[in-house]
């Protein structure tokens, strides 16, 4: 929810407000976006869990295919349904290209096993943010250079900082011979790299996204985003247990959602 439905629908609202749409039109756009992004993440999650059962036995033993709360065959059927339904909804909303690009990305990641190498795994997340936010804006109105600046700034930021996600899963990734960023380049290097990245992130966000909007409320949220980013920078080098890394990653997810809520005010 914090990386898909909530932030992406916030960007839908930002596009509606930026376009000067009425409250009723914005409400319809919001509901269409919520449906689209629920399917967006559901298809990814189904294939991710269908092809990651053994890894999840170590890293995420609470997941339904591991516990038996969901059958493997049932999950396969739902994955096929979503794989077909998602492009139909996208066609109806006028964003078919972005939906097909996302399906290709998550099938390559989860089924063709791009996720086994850190560079391809991280790249797929950057692509995922690009097609997510491009679709969110396009559901409402054609993309503009301003919208693209938000899309690409956030996509590149996620691409560079997404190794934070892998710190909590090192044990299971080693068992399954996955070469994630911290395994390939070392945990110590990864933590220093991420701390540096999150320390610098507020500068990038301020200069490229917040300052051009010249909004007092935007500057307030800018300060909150900076505080969260610096909190992550501190936590990633001081809180090193897997459960702490999980909490740290949750702060990053919340940062992403707040960044796109900020877009509603700034754009």
């Amino acid at each position: 929810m914090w990386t898909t439905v909530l932030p992406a629908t916030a960007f839908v609202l930002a596009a509606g407000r930026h376009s000067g749409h009425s409250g009723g039109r914005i409400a319809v756009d919001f509901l269409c976006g919520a449906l689209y992004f629920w399917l967006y993440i559901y298809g990814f999650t189904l294939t991710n869990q269908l092809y990651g059962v053994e890894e999840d036995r170590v890293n995420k033993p609470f997941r339904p295919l591991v516990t038996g709360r969901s059958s493997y065959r049932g999950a396969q059927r739902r994955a096929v349904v979503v794989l077909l339904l998602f492009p139909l909804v996208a066609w109806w909303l006028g964003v078919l290209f972005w939906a097909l690009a996302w399906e290709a990305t998550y099938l390559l990641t989860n089924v063709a096993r791009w996720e086994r190498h850190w560079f391809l795994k991280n790249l797929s997340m950057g692509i995922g943010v690009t097609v997510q936010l491009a679709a969110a804006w396009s559901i409402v109105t054609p993309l503009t250079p301003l919208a693209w600046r938000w899309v690409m700034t956030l996509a590149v930021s996620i691409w560079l900082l997404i190794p934070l996600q892998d710190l909590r899963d090192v044990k299971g990734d080693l068992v399954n011979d996955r070469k994630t960023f911290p395994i390939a380049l070392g945990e110590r290097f990864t933590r220093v790299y991420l701390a540096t990245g999150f320390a610098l992130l507020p500068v990038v966000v301020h200069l490229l996204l917040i300052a051009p909007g010249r909004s007092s409320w935007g500057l307030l949220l800018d300060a909150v985003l900076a505080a969260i980013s610096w909190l992550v920078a501190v936590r990633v080098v001081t809180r090193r247990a897997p459960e702490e890394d999980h909490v740290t990653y949750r702060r990053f997810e919340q940062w992403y959602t707040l960044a796109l809520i900020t877009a509603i005010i700034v754009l």
Side-chain angles (χ1 to χ4, degrees):
M1 293 294 290
W2 289 102
T3 58
T4 50
V5 179
L6 292 176
T9 50
F11 206 50
V12 170
L13 294 177
R17 183 176 181 274
H18 179 76
S19 301
H21 289 174
S22 66
R25 170 69 184 277
I26 290 176
V28 171
D29 290 337
F30 175 82
L31 293 174
C32 290
L35 171 62
Y36 177 88
F37 290 110
W38 183 81
L39 291 169
Y40 170 103
I41 190 57
Y42 192 36
F44 172 85
T45 302
L46 281 166
T47 55
N48 177 262
Q49 295 190 32
L50 280 166
Y51 285 84
V53 175
E54 294 308 314
E55 176 194 339
D56 288 341
R57 293 189 197 280
V58 179
N59 287 335
K60 300 177 177 70
F62 53 84
R63 282 185 163 178
L65 291 180
V66 177
T67 62
R69 288 182 289 117
S70 176
S71 72
Y72 195 85
R73 182 61 62 86
Q76 285 180 314
R77 293 194 186 102
R78 290 191 293 278
V80 171
V81 170
V82 174
L83 196 65
L84 298 174
L85 181 60
F86 182 51
L88 288 175
V89 171
W91 171 77
W92 173 56
L93 295 174
V95 291
L96 179 60
F97 172 80
W98 301 116
L100 293 177
W102 174 234
E103 284 196 337
T105 300
Y106 79 66
L107 290 174
L108 286 168
T109 302
N110 295 330
V111 180
R113 311 305 280 172
W114 271 19
E115 47 83 26
R116 299 192 70 80
H117 189 280
W118 68 267
F119 180 80
L120 293 175
K121 178 179 184 291
N122 297 351
L123 177 63
S124 70
M125 295 300 101
I127 294 172
V129 173
T130 303
V131 300
Q132 176 193 98
L133 298 183
W137 193 274
S138 299
I139 286 172
V140 180
T141 188
L143 286 157
T144 64
L146 176 62
W148 271 117
R149 185 167 74 232
W150 274 78
V151 171
M152 296 313 299
T153 298
L154 291 172
V156 172
S157 298
I158 298 298
W159 171 46
L160 294 176
L161 298 174
I162 200 62
L164 177 63
Q165 183 186 58
D166 297 318
L167 285 171
R168 60 187 180 174
D169 294 333
V170 168
K171 183 178 178 181
D173 291 337
L174 283 170
V175 169
N176 290 279
D177 197 31
R178 291 178 67 192
K179 297 296 188 291
T180 60
F181 192 99
I183 291 173
L185 301 178
E187 183 177 335
R188 181 177 180 181
F189 173 82
T190 301
R191 291 186 184 277
V192 172
Y193 163 80
L194 289 170
T196 303
F198 278 103
L200 295 175
L201 182 59
V203 178
V204 175
V205 170
H206 176 76
L207 293 178
L208 295 181
L209 303 183
I210 309 300
R214 299 180 180 179
S215 164
S216 56
W217 279 105
L219 292 175
L220 176 61
L221 290 172
D222 190 16
V224 177
L225 287 168
I228 296 172
S229 187
W230 289 329
L231 173 64
V232 171
V234 171
R235 284 187 60 92
V236 78
V237 292
T238 60
R239 303 293 183 91
R240 296 171 176 247
E243 58 272 17
E244 294 289 352
D245 287 325
H246 177 73
V247 173
T248 303
Y249 179 64
R250 286 285 177 252
R251 299 293 87 81
F252 186 25
E253 291 180 326
Q254 291 155 7
W255 176 92
Y256 180 62
T257 295
L258 182 59
L260 287 160
I261 290 173
T262 302
I264 300 172
I265 296 170
V266 172
L267 290 177

